[in-house]
Amino acid sequence: MRIQHGGIWVRTCVTALAVTVGAGAGAGAATAQSSGSAGGEGSVGTGSLTDGTGSDGMLLNGTTLVTGSLGTASVARSPLGSVLPPLVDAIVPAPNPPYPDLDALWQAVLPSPLGEPFFDEFPPGLPGMANGQVIESRDVTPAALQFLRGPVREVRQFKVKTTDSQGAPSFATATLVVPATPWTGPGPRPVLVNNVPINGLGRACTPSHTLAHGITPSTNPFELIRPVTTKAEERGYAVLIPDHEGPQMAYGEPFVAGHAILDTIRGMRTLYPAEFGASALAMMGYSGGAIATSGAVKLVDGYAPELADDIVGAAIGGVPADYDMLGRTMNGNLAGGLFMAAVLGVARERTEILTLMNDLGERLGTSGLRDGCVMTLALAGVPGIPVEALANVAKVLSSPVAQDIFAEMKMADRPSSAPLHIYNGGQEFWIPALGTQNLFAEQCALGVSTVYRQVPGEHIIGELTGNPGAFDWVDARLRGDPAPDDC
């Protein structure tokens, strides 16, 4: 693919970006997919072993806007990177007045309230509560039934006290699905923690909002097409679905997600001590849900050690395990909208990122995109804008701030408290197999029983081909079978 730095391409790119800034969380559209893989790599045998770095560090490096990254060899290093902000200035007026300080900017990038205290309100007395303490609960069975294919006894949502990435008091919400199918196995009914890929910045993107309110323009479609909950119901398992991005919708932040998941498990056990107080627990998550699941199992020993013996395994697929790598493979191409959204989601917890935003970055971060769900955010990748064009420093992804955050969020020194099943598409180009293979090697070195399975397909097909094997592995753990180990 030949990329022009001016003319029609620039006008199209800037116009699309301007529409994105102005429209914000308007109707989204699906992005194009490709069957190729970055740099021509990729097979079920070897996988996409590129990390997105070209040998010459120059523009394109043999990749394309679809399958590769302009990341470190990005549009930001080309003439387009320097002309984008003034071109957008000519189309979308700059904010007036500018934000007076960092706190004002932080407030402006947070998600908008929904007008529903269950999702919006930080209750009084929150700092004095214990982690996992139940704040409130409600029955949503009638509304949730339209999304659940199996017979259901009860669907209950609840809100608990948790902590954010820095340990400050926060809250988390979740939905518990208890099937009508009797549990006939040994011991109490097991629980599958289904960490769906929320991949959104607005509170209406959460699975609990959908399960309570039905289909809306912001509905996250993933749980409607992923059969995890239905499979679990058929086996008599209860299913816990945490809203793992927290009330600030910190998309991509593993500490927030891990805390939220572990504290909602605690809350579930408080609400149902006889039924789930000693249940075996397993987790599943793909893509954004894999970030959350990986964060949770790596935080158990230090944050919720009382759960360690009961969490029997976690299956994670398409894992965005290395943000430094993703800055080369998802940045400045059709996946760039989701990468930028994750940067903004993390910035809600780590405000040092906000100090690196230029005027264009601030406008995007405070536009309607701050409430966008996955389809809108995917559309934001169409213009191919790299994060470098939104920064006030050169090579922002190589800056000390970025590198420190990348290292911390990788959580490389933390072993999972439970056995792992890791899988990835062999033709994956946005989240390459190399990242999951590195995670496999990392956890093996830390003594965790881990298996790695490479499956056919890129990111979407890879979930379809990998999910059945992952569920069977989780099912075996909940039946009490010993975990295999490929290390």
Side-chain angles (χ1 to χ4, degrees):
M1 180 183 292
R2 182 172 176 267
I3 303 299
Q4 298 179 2
H5 294 158
I8 294 174
W9 192 85
V10 169
R11 291 195 297 274
T12 302
C13 180
V14 173
T15 300
L17 181 61
V19 169
T20 301
V21 173
T31 57
Q33 299 291 329
S34 167
S35 60
S37 60
E41 302 273 358
S43 68
V44 176
T46 60
S48 299
L49 299 182
T50 179
D51 68 354
T53 303
S55 60
D56 58 2
M58 297 302 289
L59 181 65
L60 294 182
N61 296 320
T63 65
T64 75
L65 277 172
V66 175
T67 62
S69 172
L70 304 185
T72 52
S74 74
V75 172
R77 288 188 179 183
S78 75
L80 182 58
S82 60
V83 302
L84 267 177
L87 280 173
V88 174
D89 282 343
I91 299 173
V92 181
N96 185 31
Y99 300 101
D101 53 38
L102 182 61
D103 185 65
L105 177 58
W106 176 69
Q107 293 288 343
V109 303
L110 292 179
S112 303
L114 297 176
E116 186 173 352
F118 184 80
F119 295 109
D120 292 338
E121 185 177 283
F122 285 74
L126 190 65
M129 297 180 186
N131 290 340
Q133 181 174 333
V134 178
I135 300 167
E136 62 177 298
S137 72
R138 62 188 190 182
D139 188 289
V140 295
T141 305
L145 282 176
Q146 63 183 301
F147 301 105
L148 302 171
R149 299 173 198 163
V152 173
R153 187 190 84 195
E154 180 183 6
V155 182
R156 178 157 296 274
Q157 294 186 340
F158 56 95
K159 179 175 178 177
V160 300
K161 190 258 182 167
T162 188
T163 58
D164 66 13
S165 64
Q166 306 304 310
S170 185
F171 69 83
T173 54
T175 301
L176 177 67
V177 178
V178 184
T181 307
W183 173 247
T184 58
R189 186 191 297 269
V191 179
L192 177 58
V193 183
N194 184 11
N195 297 313
V196 301
I198 298 171
N199 296 3
L201 293 172
R203 291 175 184 170
C205 309
T206 60
S208 289
H209 187 269
T210 296
L211 289 167
H213 296 283
I215 296 291
T216 73
S218 298
T219 293
N220 185 320
F222 282 106
E223 182 52 17
L224 306 182
I225 62 174
R226 299 179 70 241
V228 172
T229 297
T230 299
K231 286 182 180 179
E233 287 182 276
E234 290 171 349
R235 287 158 175 78
Y237 304 149
V239 184
L240 179 65
I241 308 173
D243 303 318
H244 50 73
E245 292 186 10
Q248 312 291 36
M249 295 302 293
Y251 171 32
E253 213 295 326
F255 289 88
V256 167
H259 294 164
I261 292 166
L262 298 174
D263 283 323
T264 55
I265 292 173
R266 286 166 161 163
M268 174 192 67
R269 289 186 155 191
T270 297
L271 286 170
Y272 299 85
E275 189 166 10
F276 301 122
S279 291
L281 304 158
M283 300 187 192
M284 289 189 72
Y286 190 79
S287 190
I291 296 174
T293 305
S294 179
V297 293
K298 286 185 173 185
L299 290 170
V300 169
D301 290 342
Y303 189 79
E306 78 277 10
L307 300 178
D309 291 340
D310 293 335
I311 299 175
V312 297
I316 50 179
V319 191
D322 186 341
Y323 272 58
D324 195 13
M325 181 185 297
L326 300 185
R328 298 184 292 271
T329 59
M330 290 184 69
N331 181 26
N333 55 36
L334 288 180
L338 291 172
F339 183 77
M340 286 192 292
V343 171
L344 181 59
V346 174
R348 290 169 167 175
E349 288 288 319
R350 301 168 188 270
T351 56
E352 59 268 35
I353 294 174
L354 300 178
T355 66
L356 302 178
M357 284 185 175
N358 61 19
D359 175 70
L360 178 56
E362 290 184 6
R363 275 185 281 170
L364 281 174
T366 58
S367 74
L369 285 178
R370 73 186 187 278
D371 295 316
C373 296
V374 62
M375 299 306 289
T376 298
L377 300 178
L379 176 65
V382 172
I385 308 302
V387 296
E388 291 92 338
L390 311 178
N392 56 24
V393 298
K395 302 180 183 179
V396 64
L397 296 181
S398 300
S399 69
V401 168
Q403 290 297 309
D404 286 349
I405 291 174
F406 291 159
E408 186 173 359
M409 294 201 308
K410 196 173 183 180
M411 305 171 80
D413 58 340
R414 297 174 183 262
S416 168
S417 68
L420 293 175
H421 174 102
I422 303 173
Y423 63 103
N424 210 91
Q427 289 71 45
E428 174 71 88
F429 38 78
W430 285 332
I431 303 175
L434 178 62
T436 52
Q437 290 181 8
N438 290 344
L439 177 62
F440 167 68
E442 167 202 294
Q443 291 298 297
C444 284
L446 292 171
V448 178
S449 296
T450 308
V451 299
Y452 175 75
R453 298 291 180 264
Q454 200 148 277
V455 297
E458 40 62 72
H459 198 62
I460 304 301
I461 295 174
E463 166 63 337
L464 298 176
T465 57
N467 183 278
F471 189 92
D472 289 345
W473 182 92
V474 164
D475 192 34
R477 305 292 77 72
L478 289 174
R479 291 197 309 264
D481 296 346
D485 189 357
D486 287 353
C487 294

